Amino acid sequence: MATSTTPFRSHHSFNHRSSTSSPSLSRLVQRTVSAPFSHRDFKLNAVVGNGICGVLYKWVNYGRGWRPRWFTLHHGVLSYYKVHGPHIQTHSKIIGKQSFRHISTVHHGHPKPLIQLHLMVCSVEESKSDERRFCVYTGMKKRLYLRAECKEDRETWVEAMLAVKDMFPRLSNVPEESVVISTDRLRQLLLKEGVNESIIKESEDIMKGELSRVINHNNFLLMDTLHHLETDKVDLENALIESQRQHSKDDVVSYLSAHENLSEGSASDSHEDGRDEFFDTLSISSDRSSESHSQGSSLDSENEETSSNGKYEEWLIECVESNYPHVRRRKKLPDPVEKEAGISLWSIIKDNIGKDLTKVCLPVTFNEPLSSLQKCFEDLEYSYLLDQAYAWGKMGNSLMRMLHVAAFAVSGYACTHGRSCKPFNPLLGETYEADYPDKGLRFISEKVSHHPMIVACHCEGRGWKFWGDSNLKSKFWGRSIQVDPVGVLTLKFDDGEVFQWSKVTTAIYNLILGKLYCDHYGTMRIEGNGEYSCKIKFKEQSIIEKTPHKVQGVVEDNKGRTVATLHGKWDESLNYGIVESSGKGKGSNVSSKEHQLWKKSNPSEYQTRYNFTQFATTLNEITPGLREKLPPTDSRLRPDQRYLENGEYEKANAEKLRLEQKQRQARKMQEMGWKPRWFAMDKESHTYSYVGGYWEAREKEKWETCHDIFANSSTTP
C-alpha cells in the first residue's frame, strides 16, 4: 500500500510544552530549517561569508547629527559599538574604506555592544532622497537611521541584511514541503482490522484536519509568546533605566536640597556608552531616556537612539543633509604671550561710582575678547530649538512650537554662567557677521547708535528669521554691575507666525570681595499672533536660596487657561509638563510627567579665565579665506580685542585707549546725520530692521561704502 503524506506549513516541531513555555531565541533559531538553496543564499555566502563589519554613520539627534559607529552583522544579529572602543577582531568581511582605517586601532577584548537587534523582527528600507542612507525598522516600530560612505557600500549592507532575513522567515511564510506527516501506519492497522477503504480515507482526512488546527494554534501561541517576551524585555529595560536614573537623582537631591524637584533625564543621563543597559538579541532596545515617549523630546536628548516620530525625524535629517560645506573651527584660544599683571581696584572704583559703565575707562583685563555684537550671536548657540519649533508648527502642533521658542529664549543665558568679564563696547558702525552653514545660520549685527548705545542684529535660519535691537543701560555700583536691556526681540517663521519678547535684568556681584558671579532676574513674556503665550519668571538669587538660577513659567491659550508648565535652571536645562483637565470641576488640572526641552552643552575641555563655551571660542576666529571677505568694520579686525585674545596685554591696553579716544568723536558724527549701513529705523515702531545687501556685497567683496574704523593703529596684530 502506498504511503500517504501531507505537507504542513511549518518549520518547527511542536508539542504541548513548547506551546506553553517561553522558548529562547537561540533554540528557535536552532530549530529553523533552511529553505531550498536560492540566489539569495548564494548572495549571502558571497557577500556575508562569516559576517560583515564596518563603519556606518548613525543618526543620534539634531544636536549631534551623524556619528560613526562600528557595526557587525553576524548570525542574524546586527550590533554596533563605539568606533574608538575595543572591537573583537573576527574573520568577517570588512565593508568601506573608512572601516580599514579603524582596523589598526582594534584591541582584543569582549566589548559590550551599545545595541543588538535580530533582523528576524526588523525590516530594512533604502532612502529615496539619499543614495547612501537606509533605515532599519525594529520590532517595536522604531527607526535606526544609518548612512554608508557610498552607494555601493549601502547596497552591500542592505543585500546582506535582506539575505540574513531570509534565513529566518516569518512562521506564516514557511514552505509547505518543510515538514512531512505520514499516515502509513494508521492505514495498515485499519486494513488489518478489515475497515473499508472509504472509511480509512475519511479517518485520514479527520486526523490531518485536527493536526493542522493544532499546529496552527501552536504557531499562534509561539508568535504571541515571542511578542510578550519582547514587550517584557522592553519593560525590564525601562525599569532598570528608571531605577538607575532615580538612584543618580537621589544622590543629587541629597547634595543640593531635600526639597529640590529635579526633572528626570537631565544631568544624570549618561552618554551613549552602553554601560548599564540591558540588551538581548531579540530586538533593539527602548530609548535610553524616558522622555523619548513624548513627542516633545524625541530628538533633544543626546542619549536618544531611535524615534517613533518618523516624519519629524526625517525633516531634521534632511536639514543636516543639506549640501553645506563643513567648516573646521578651533577648540581653544591662543596661548597668552604675556603673563597677566595685577590691577588696583580701589583706584578705579572710587572715581567711577554711579557713572554709566559705557563711559568708564577700564583696563583691558576687565574685558573678554568678544564684542557686544558677537555676544548677540552667542544667544543663538542653541538655534536648533528654533529649527525644531519650525518643524512642530509645520506639523500643526502650535503648543510644542511655543515650548521650543520658550526654551530658546531661556537657553541664551546659559553661556553667561561663570562669565564675569565685560564684552568690548563696539565703535559706531562696527559690524559682525557669522556664517555657520553647519547650523544653517547667517547672522549680521551692527552698532547703529552711540548715544544711546544700541546694537541691532538679524539672523536667517532654516524656516525662520530672528532680529532685534538692544539698548543696554548699565550702572556701576562699586560692588556690582547692573545691566537693563531695553529692546524687543522678534522671531518670525516662514508660515507667518510671529513671537516677541524682551530680556530680563542681568547683574554681576562681588566685584570687591568674594567670588564674582552673574545672575538674571525678572519676568520674560513671550507673545505673538498665534494661539499661545508664555510667561517665564527668572528668580533672583538670595543668600538663603539653596538652588539658584531657577526659572518657572506657564503657557496659556487665548482664553487664559494654563496648558503647559515650564521648570528648570537657565544654566542647566528646561523641562515642560502638559496640563490636562482632570474632569473634577473647574480649576482642577493635572500636569503630566515632565519632559526635557533643552539641556546645556558640555563645557569646553580647554578652560580659560573667560569661561568660554566651545561655541563662544569660535566667535572671534578668522578661518582660512575669511579675512579677504570681511568688511573693514568687522569685530574680528579690532586690534585691541585681537591683542587681548593673544595675551598681549600691553598692546591691547594701548589700542583700547586709542580707540576709546577715537570713539568720543562718534557722538558728534551721529549729531551730524550719520546713518547705519545695514540697518534702518522704523519710524512707527522706533526699532531697527535689516535693509539687506550685506551678503551680496560680501560675495562681490565690495566694501567701498564701509569706512576703516580701526585705522591708524601703530601696529597690526
Side-chain angles (χ1 to χ4, degrees):
M1 184 69 61
T3 300
S4 175
T5 61
T6 303
F8 286 90
R9 304 177 65 83
S10 175
H11 271 194
H12 312 288
S13 299
F14 294 96
N15 52 37
H16 177 71
R17 180 178 180 181
S18 65
S19 65
T20 58
S21 62
S22 300
S24 66
L25 183 63
S26 59
R27 293 200 300 272
L28 177 65
V29 174
Q30 289 172 2
R31 291 203 300 262
T32 302
V33 180
S34 300
F37 187 84
S38 64
H39 172 72
R40 183 61 64 114
D41 294 317
F42 175 78
K43 185 71 177 177
L44 178 64
N45 293 326
V47 176
V48 181
N50 293 321
I52 63 175
C53 61
V55 174
L56 289 173
Y57 291 86
K58 174 187 168 294
W59 173 261
V60 178
N61 57 33
Y62 184 80
R64 302 180 68 193
W66 297 97
R67 294 290 178 177
R69 298 289 182 261
W70 184 268
F71 280 80
T72 63
L73 177 58
H74 193 60
H75 290 162
V77 178
L78 182 67
S79 310
Y80 78 77
Y81 311 77
K82 285 277 189 175
V83 167
H84 300 292
H87 309 305
I88 301 175
Q89 186 73 25
T90 66
H91 299 289
S92 302
K93 180 181 178 64
I94 300 173
I95 306 298
K97 297 179 181 179
Q98 181 75 7
S99 305
F100 283 96
R101 289 195 285 269
H102 290 281
I103 292 299
S104 59
T105 62
V106 171
H107 304 285
H108 296 287
H110 299 280
K112 188 175 182 180
L114 298 174
I115 287 291
Q116 285 185 315
L117 60 107
H118 202 291
L119 293 180
M120 185 183 71
V121 294
C122 301
S123 60
V124 184
E125 181 178 325
E126 296 178 337
S127 172
K128 297 180 180 179
S129 60
D130 188 340
E131 62 182 13
R132 298 177 298 166
R133 276 174 44 200
F134 62 100
C135 181
V136 179
Y137 294 82
T138 74
M140 296 299 293
K141 297 182 180 180
K142 297 175 183 177
R143 300 168 177 84
L144 188 67
Y145 294 96
L146 303 174
R147 188 181 71 185
E149 291 184 63
C150 59
K151 179 181 179 180
E152 292 74 17
D153 289 349
R154 183 186 76 169
E155 291 178 352
T156 302
W157 277 101
V158 172
E159 285 288 345
M161 290 181 184
L162 294 178
V164 168
K165 277 185 62 62
D166 283 353
M167 295 175 60
F168 310 101
R170 295 286 185 180
L171 293 176
S172 60
N173 297 328
V174 175
E176 295 183 0
E177 63 273 16
S178 57
V179 176
V180 177
I181 303 299
S182 174
T183 60
D184 181 63
R185 292 182 60 187
L186 175 63
R187 174 177 287 276
Q188 293 296 334
L189 179 61
L190 294 177
L191 288 173
K192 187 176 180 179
E193 296 293 332
V195 179
N196 187 276
E197 178 69 26
S198 61
I199 297 178
I200 294 176
K201 182 67 170 61
E202 185 178 351
S203 299
E204 285 183 331
D205 292 339
I206 293 174
M207 184 206 69
K208 294 172 185 177
E210 291 297 323
L211 183 60
S212 176
R213 281 192 291 272
V214 170
I215 291 179
N216 289 335
H217 178 66
N218 285 343
N219 287 353
F220 171 80
L221 289 178
L222 177 60
M223 292 303 299
D224 185 63
T225 300
L226 289 176
H227 287 304
H228 280 295
L229 282 174
E230 184 176 8
T231 302
D232 293 341
K233 177 194 73 68
V234 173
D235 291 340
L236 178 58
E237 290 172 2
N238 289 336
L240 288 174
I241 295 170
E242 184 66 24
S243 176
Q244 294 157 7
R245 180 181 293 112
Q246 187 64 37
H247 179 70
S248 300
K249 175 181 174 181
D250 292 340
D251 291 342
V252 176
V253 170
S254 62
Y255 176 75
L256 292 177
S257 171
H259 305 287
E260 174 66 5
N261 183 22
L262 294 177
S263 63
E264 297 180 7
S266 58
S268 61
D269 286 347
S270 61
H271 285 285
E272 185 187 34
D273 56 8
R275 288 178 298 180
D276 301 312
E277 304 298 337
F278 175 82
F279 300 116
D280 63 15
T281 57
L282 182 60
S283 68
I284 195 167
S285 72
S286 62
D287 295 340
R288 303 277 177 94
S289 172
S290 61
E291 290 83 11
S292 61
H293 300 292
S294 126
Q295 289 182 331
S297 57
S298 62
L299 292 168
D300 298 318
S301 172
E302 291 187 356
N303 306 318
E304 199 71 38
E305 296 298 343
T306 58
S307 172
S308 59
N309 196 337
K311 183 178 179 181
Y312 181 41
E313 179 118 345
E314 285 282 4
W315 185 88
L316 290 177
I317 294 178
E318 291 299 329
C319 289
V320 176
E321 288 294 278
S322 302
N323 295 321
Y324 287 122
H326 175 70
V327 181
R328 187 179 184 87
R329 304 186 189 277
R330 67 185 183 184
K331 296 184 178 180
K332 59 178 296 187
L333 296 177
D335 295 328
V337 176
E338 304 171 6
K339 184 178 180 180
E340 187 175 354
I343 56 175
S344 175
L345 288 174
W346 290 108
S347 61
I348 300 173
I349 293 173
K350 67 179 182 180
D351 297 329
N352 296 291
I353 292 179
K355 291 184 179 180
D356 189 330
L357 192 60
T358 59
K359 299 179 180 179
V360 176
C361 183
L362 297 174
V364 73
T365 49
F366 275 89
N367 292 85
E368 61 182 13
L370 291 177
S371 72
S372 297
L373 299 172
Q374 292 166 310
K375 290 283 289 183
C376 290
F377 181 61
E378 195 173 1
D379 289 348
L380 288 147
E381 177 176 358
Y382 302 96
S383 61
Y384 67 85
L385 292 168
L386 298 184
D387 296 339
Q388 293 173 346
Y390 173 70
W392 284 117
K394 290 279 286 185
M395 291 187 291
N397 195 329
S398 299
L399 177 57
M400 288 306 301
R401 170 175 282 189
M402 168 56 81
L403 288 169
H404 280 77
V405 171
F408 170 77
V410 173
S411 69
Y413 293 95
C415 63
T416 63
H417 182 61
R419 300 271 288 276
S420 55
C421 293
K422 173 182 176 292
F424 279 87
N425 182 19
L427 276 64
L428 186 63
E430 185 174 334
T431 64
Y432 175 72
E433 70 160 59
D435 186 15
Y436 279 62
D438 49 338
K439 290 178 172 287
L441 299 180
R442 290 200 314 180
F443 173 91
I444 172 67
S445 58
E446 181 181 9
K447 182 174 179 179
V448 295
S449 173
H450 177 65
H451 188 77
M453 201 282 280
I454 301 176
V455 296
C457 67
H458 179 89
C459 184
E460 298 176 1
R462 299 184 178 110
W464 51 268
K465 293 181 180 179
F466 174 77
W467 69 88
D469 55 53
S470 178
N471 176 13
L472 299 176
K473 293 185 177 180
S474 55
K475 290 292 183 178
F476 181 42
W477 295 113
R479 293 184 300 175
S480 64
I481 298 174
Q482 177 182 328
V483 179
D484 295 307
V486 179
V488 177
L489 301 176
T490 303
L491 171 67
K492 182 177 181 180
F493 292 98
D494 286 356
D495 54 23
E497 189 167 9
V498 178
F499 297 89
Q500 289 186 322
W501 67 92
S502 298
K503 289 196 168 187
V504 297
T505 299
T506 298
I508 300 176
Y509 299 98
N510 292 343
L511 295 180
I512 302 177
L513 296 175
K515 185 178 180 180
L516 286 171
Y517 69 92
C518 174
D519 193 24
H520 309 284
Y521 55 89
T523 300
M524 176 186 292
R525 291 177 173 83
I526 306 175
E527 299 176 336
N529 59 357
E531 56 181 311
Y532 297 107
S533 62
C534 181
K535 181 172 65 175
I536 305 174
K537 183 178 181 180
F538 289 67
K539 297 187 67 176
E540 185 175 5
Q541 184 173 342
S542 63
I543 299 177
I544 62 175
E545 182 66 55
K546 296 182 179 180
T547 55
H549 309 159
K550 291 180 66 174
V551 293
Q552 291 179 328
V554 294
V555 177
E556 298 178 341
D557 60 15
N558 290 334
K559 297 181 180 180
R561 295 175 298 189
T562 299
V563 295
T565 60
L566 293 164
H567 170 266
K569 297 183 178 182
W570 54 259
D571 65 332
E572 185 178 286
S573 62
L574 189 68
N575 307 279
Y576 77 94
I578 303 298
V579 176
E580 301 174 353
S581 176
S582 64
K584 298 179 181 179
K586 185 176 180 180
S588 299
N589 294 323
V590 178
S591 180
S592 66
K593 184 178 180 180
E594 285 192 348
H595 306 287
Q596 192 173 89
L597 268 173
W598 159 79
K599 182 180 178 181
K600 181 183 177 181
S601 300
N602 293 327
S604 173
E605 57 181 314
Y606 302 101
Q607 287 296 318
T608 65
R609 73 180 184 91
Y610 305 115
N611 287 322
F612 279 176
T613 63
Q614 180 59 57
F615 181 70
T617 303
T618 68
L619 299 184
N620 200 46
E621 179 186 15
I622 299 181
T623 54
L626 179 61
R627 182 182 289 269
E628 294 76 14
K629 300 178 181 180
L630 293 176
T633 56
D634 195 273
S635 295
R636 296 179 183 87
L637 306 179
R638 179 167 176 160
D640 53 352
Q641 185 172 304
R642 182 63 60 184
Y643 281 133
L644 176 61
E645 182 183 282
N646 294 335
E648 300 177 80
Y649 305 111
E650 186 176 344
K651 293 181 179 179
N653 274 312
E655 283 297 303
K656 184 172 185 290
L657 179 60
R658 180 186 68 83
L659 291 176
E660 286 186 352
Q661 291 174 347
K662 185 177 181 179
Q663 179 71 349
R664 293 188 178 97
Q665 304 173 7
R667 185 168 185 174
K668 186 176 180 180
M669 292 172 54
Q670 189 170 331
E671 291 173 351
M672 294 174 61
W674 181 89
K675 293 183 180 180
R677 176 63 183 86
W678 309 110
F679 291 83
M681 176 181 284
D682 188 309
K683 295 182 179 179
E684 295 182 0
S685 62
H686 296 285
T687 59
Y688 287 87
S689 59
Y690 177 58
V691 297
Y694 178 87
W695 299 104
E696 293 76 7
R698 182 183 189 271
E699 184 177 355
K700 299 177 182 179
E701 298 184 16
K702 292 185 177 181
W703 305 111
E704 292 82 0
T705 58
C706 298
H707 301 288
D708 190 354
I709 59 177
F710 307 126
N712 300 324
S713 59
S714 56
T715 56
T716 302

